[in-house]
Amino acid sequence: MSVGTSGAPGRREARRPPAPGSAGDPGGLGTDGPTGLGVGPDGPTGLGVDPDDLPDGLVVADAHGRVICFNAAAARITAVPAEEALGQHLEKALPLEDLEGRRWWQLTDPYGGLAIRVGQPERNLLLHGGREVLVSARYVRDHPTGPVRRVVVSLRDTEARRRTERSHAELIATVAHELRSPLTSVKGFTATLLAKWERFTDDQKRLMLETVDADADRVTRLIAELLDISRIDSGRLEVRRQLVDMGAAVGRHVQAYVAAGQPADRFLVRTEQPLPELWADPDKIDQVLSNLIENAVRHGEGTVTIDITAAPSPRDGDDPRNSENTENAQNTEHTEHTEHVENTATSVTVSDEGPGIPEESMNRVFTRFWRGSKRGGTGLGLYIVKGIVEAHGGTITVGRAVGGGARFRFTLPVGTPAHLL
């Protein structure tokens, strides 16, 4: 590993260590030592990794406690320029305190403590000014009980962990709130029926039991959403591919709404033929269609239009931004290159004629807990939809429909299983 210094933005200086044992190398840092850290010009593997390329903060002190490496991430995390830190004593360049206000370097005493120690495990410490960071240290010795030749300190910002913790706290609060109402209803009705069964008519009993059944379904859906989120976040969402008839799948959802009382003329389904064969997980595609159509019916107005068309396969590396401009650009590109690009994907667009989604909210539509209105819901549906579509190798965008409402468009590649290719 090359030991370098971090200068001002746009400028990088690589400071090579001097020859081992020379006056400029009091810690004997010239080559790869017995610890295998590889601090020579190119390291033992010849990779020549620059400390500034590391994602975490790296601070290295020599045998005398002077800082000889302070990479760009360390400068960013500590807000101390590398030029100021280099050459200073470790305790001054990196003043750390534990959560009780005690000076960490005095407590740990890396150079004068027990000779059998090899480092310090990661823990939360405070920088000057109270900023919290995750710090771990490694003591490098020439032999197990010898003097410390180097102290290697790793720094990590806690902001990502804090965001994760806040997200988990919000999820727990949302789940608790969503569970409380149906469970209260279930408990109340069942307790009443058990205590006063003979006093109620058959119609009253049926109404109570139907309410309990509906609330139980609500709890089941919430638990299913939580399981989906867990699988999406951990990358364990399984896709069991089968041949899927997208037109028939959309038709089933529309028929279900008509049977439930929605007027048939509220739905307009337009299917382009021929469509490429689509291999996807039918249950998860039903979940995507159910969410998008339900949102259009519940939050939109007027006619719900569903277009099923052939489309070019989503290209590797695309970054589908959740904006109307992106969707317009995709439509324009599709029009201009239709003659030259083979349609190897299926695209489904669900649009309504309601008020639509405000422009400033479009970049948050597929995040957790986003709600387009105050008409209930956990705010997890579109987050799950995006996870399912991406698990199939597809993309999903949101924009404004021609009639002014919301327009969601997802595109899935054919997904032919490898054994059929």
Side-chain angles (χ1 to χ4, degrees):
M1 179 185 296
S2 303
V3 177
T5 63
S6 300
R11 177 173 61 89
R12 176 176 292 178
E13 299 175 357
R15 181 175 296 174
R16 301 294 184 187
S22 68
D25 181 34
L29 295 172
T31 59
D32 180 44
T35 60
L37 292 178
V39 198
D42 291 314
T45 60
L47 295 177
V49 178
D50 192 305
D52 285 351
D53 294 331
L54 299 176
D56 295 335
L58 175 67
V59 180
V60 181
D62 63 13
H64 301 285
R66 294 192 301 268
V67 175
I68 58 172
C69 176
F70 202 87
N71 74 346
R76 173 179 54 81
I77 293 171
T78 62
V80 175
E83 293 83 355
E84 293 183 12
L86 290 169
Q88 289 194 16
H89 195 275
L90 183 59
E91 184 175 352
K92 184 176 180 181
L94 194 63
L96 294 169
E97 297 180 351
D98 64 14
L99 301 182
E100 297 179 4
R102 298 173 297 184
R103 295 183 179 180
W104 192 61
W105 295 115
Q106 293 181 3
L107 288 175
T108 57
D109 191 13
Y111 294 97
L114 292 174
I116 59 174
R117 296 179 306 165
V118 296
Q120 294 291 332
E122 186 175 72
R123 65 190 66 198
N124 286 2
L125 296 175
L126 301 176
L127 291 168
H128 181 70
R131 183 176 181 182
E132 192 171 342
V133 291
L134 294 170
V135 181
S136 59
R138 173 78 184 275
Y139 305 154
V140 181
R141 308 174 190 271
D142 287 325
H143 50 85
T145 58
V148 172
R149 185 164 60 88
R150 283 199 300 266
V151 174
V152 181
V153 183
S154 172
L155 304 174
R156 289 200 297 142
D157 199 339
T158 61
E159 185 58 32
R161 176 177 290 188
R162 287 182 179 276
R163 286 197 300 268
T164 302
E165 290 174 351
R166 283 197 297 269
S167 178
H168 288 166
E170 290 174 357
L171 182 60
I172 292 171
T174 299
V175 170
H177 175 75
E178 293 295 327
L179 283 175
R180 180 183 300 171
S181 177
L183 290 180
T184 300
S185 171
V186 169
K187 175 62 177 176
F189 280 122
T190 54
T192 301
L193 286 171
L194 288 172
K196 303 176 181 179
W197 179 266
E198 297 81 4
R199 299 186 185 182
F200 295 106
T201 66
D202 288 345
D203 288 342
Q204 289 173 326
K205 293 174 183 177
R206 174 175 292 276
L207 177 61
M208 290 184 183
L209 290 174
E210 287 175 348
T211 304
V212 169
D213 183 63
D215 286 332
D217 287 341
R218 181 176 167 187
V219 172
T220 301
R221 285 195 301 271
L222 179 59
I223 293 173
E225 286 183 346
L226 294 176
L227 290 173
D228 285 336
I229 286 177
S230 173
R231 295 184 183 111
I232 289 169
D233 288 347
S234 63
R236 294 185 292 107
L237 187 67
E238 292 186 11
V239 176
R240 303 179 186 276
R241 296 185 184 271
Q242 302 175 31
L243 272 176
V244 173
D245 185 337
M246 188 64 77
V250 170
R252 287 195 300 270
H253 285 277
V254 171
Q255 290 169 9
Y257 277 102
V258 173
Q262 289 288 336
D265 59 1
R266 188 177 181 191
F267 299 93
L268 173 61
V269 180
R270 299 183 296 206
T271 304
E272 177 187 273
Q273 296 293 349
L275 292 174
E277 283 190 345
L278 175 64
W279 289 81
D281 189 317
D283 293 334
K284 290 182 172 56
I285 296 304
D286 275 340
Q287 191 173 349
V288 171
L289 292 173
S290 175
N291 188 283
L292 296 181
I293 296 174
E294 180 183 359
N295 285 344
V297 171
R298 178 186 295 182
H299 305 295
E301 299 172 1
T303 302
V304 176
T305 304
I306 306 167
D307 292 299
I308 309 169
T309 61
S313 181
R315 293 170 298 177
D316 292 340
D318 274 356
D319 180 18
R321 298 192 179 113
N322 306 326
S323 68
E324 181 182 5
N325 292 337
T326 302
E327 189 143 337
N328 290 340
Q330 289 177 339
N331 292 338
T332 301
E333 181 181 1
H334 174 67
T335 301
E336 292 175 352
H337 298 282
T338 298
E339 298 178 358
H340 307 285
V341 179
E342 183 182 359
N343 290 331
T344 57
T346 298
S347 176
V348 179
T349 303
V350 180
S351 55
D352 61 70
E353 298 174 348
I357 299 171
E359 189 72 29
E360 62 273 13
S361 299
M362 286 190 178
N363 62 339
R364 297 186 290 111
V365 165
F366 297 108
T367 59
R368 288 183 184 181
F369 312 119
W370 183 85
R371 292 182 176 90
S373 69
K374 298 181 180 180
R375 301 183 189 177
T378 60
L380 301 174
L382 289 174
Y383 177 82
I384 294 171
V385 164
K386 183 173 184 286
I388 291 173
V389 170
E390 291 181 346
H392 282 79
T395 60
I396 184 167
T397 58
V398 61
R400 188 167 295 278
V402 176
R407 177 178 62 185
F408 288 87
R409 181 176 186 262
F410 68 92
T411 303
L412 301 176
V414 292
T416 307
H419 68 276
L420 296 178
L421 293 176

